Amino acid sequence: VDVRDMQQTKEATGFVRDIQRITDITVTAPPEAPIERKEIDLSEVEIGNSLPDGLIGEPQMVLVKGDVVQFSSQRQDGWAFGTKLHHNDEVTARELVRLASKESG
């Protein structure tokens, strides 16, 4: 590519074509989403009582019915490591995380 003459030449065939240089780039940020809150009936929420010693301090995730999770590994005792691929109800999940953080902090 010869930016001085604004041409590109294919070495194998000698074919030459003009190139364009676009200098106007506009980046627009998406608008901030409003913070949504949802009332949650905690009587329907299952909360584990304890973690095995080897998992204390490891990241944890909140799962809502309908979420899709891909396991990367699973321990003999059934605990698993993975990634949430689909949030079925992200507003509920975020509210549960907020409530759990409030309880532990």
Side-chain angles (χ1 to χ4, degrees):
V1 176
D2 181 348
V3 291
R4 186 170 294 162
D5 291 333
M6 299 299 286
Q7 291 185 329
Q8 178 181 19
T9 305
K10 185 170 183 175
E11 291 181 5
T13 62
F15 176 77
V16 178
R17 69 176 176 180
D18 292 334
I19 60 170
Q20 282 185 314
R21 182 171 179 215
I22 300 172
T23 58
D24 260 352
I25 298 175
T26 305
V27 178
T28 57
E32 285 191 33
I35 296 174
E36 297 180 55
R37 288 273 169 94
K38 189 171 192 174
E39 285 295 319
I40 296 175
D41 181 2
L42 293 178
S43 68
E44 297 177 13
V45 175
E46 288 185 38
I47 301 173
N49 294 333
S50 63
L51 289 172
D53 290 339
L55 294 178
I56 294 174
E58 290 287 336
Q60 301 170 38
M61 74 172 75
V62 171
L63 297 175
V64 176
K65 185 177 181 176
D67 284 352
V68 177
V69 177
Q70 180 179 27
F71 289 173
S72 58
S73 65
Q74 188 168 5
R75 295 166 31 125
Q76 291 293 329
D77 59 8
W79 287 88
F81 298 88
T83 303
K84 190 184 292 190
L85 301 176
H86 171 74
H87 298 273
N88 190 51
D89 185 347
E90 189 169 354
V91 174
T92 298
R94 289 186 185 281
E95 186 65 13
L96 288 169
V97 168
R98 188 184 72 76
L99 290 170
S101 299
K102 190 175 173 181
E103 289 290 321
S104 66

